[in-house]
Amino acid sequence: DILEIAICRTMLIAGAWHEWNNHVSKLLAADGFTEEKLSVVKLVHLTSQGPLNDRQWAALLYADYISRAVSVPDSIFAKLEVAGFSEKEIVELTATIATYNMVGRFFVALDIAEANDKPPQWLK
């Protein structure tokens, strides 16, 4: 669920709805991941951890910061550490988020894939 949370958040920020649609179903298929948890991933502005556990919340915040500002404050790295992420896991998470930022921006910029101009109803 951690990588899919990061991918979905990155696609939401990029507006890459084709990729969002592909990955949200994978996220919901993850063991124990619910629509209620997904509702936090869908928020335009993250304000509350809600039903997400500490690892899920830290990954979501990390993806949000990388995708919006690129630079990540030390407080977010501290959340990853407290949530139990190893250095290796942080590198893997960073590589995934960076890769999907490229994918999302590439697809949207060149209008590749269906649905990029069709944001989900819940976003409107």
Side-chain angles (χ1 to χ4, degrees), residues 62-73 77 94 101 105:
Y62 191 56
D64 195 81
Y65 271 92
I66 290 174
S67 300
R68 291 185 191 278
V70 183
S71 180
V72 179
F77 283 108
T94 305
N101 265 295
R105 291 161 196 245

Side-chain angles (χ1 to χ4, degrees), residues 42-65:
K42 289 177 173 180
L43 292 172
V44 174
H45 302 288
L46 298 176
T47 56
S48 170
Q49 181 171 340
L52 297 180
N53 66 37
D54 290 344
R55 282 181 67 82
Q56 293 166 336
W57 178 241
L60 183 64
L61 288 173
Y62 191 56
D64 195 81
Y65 271 92

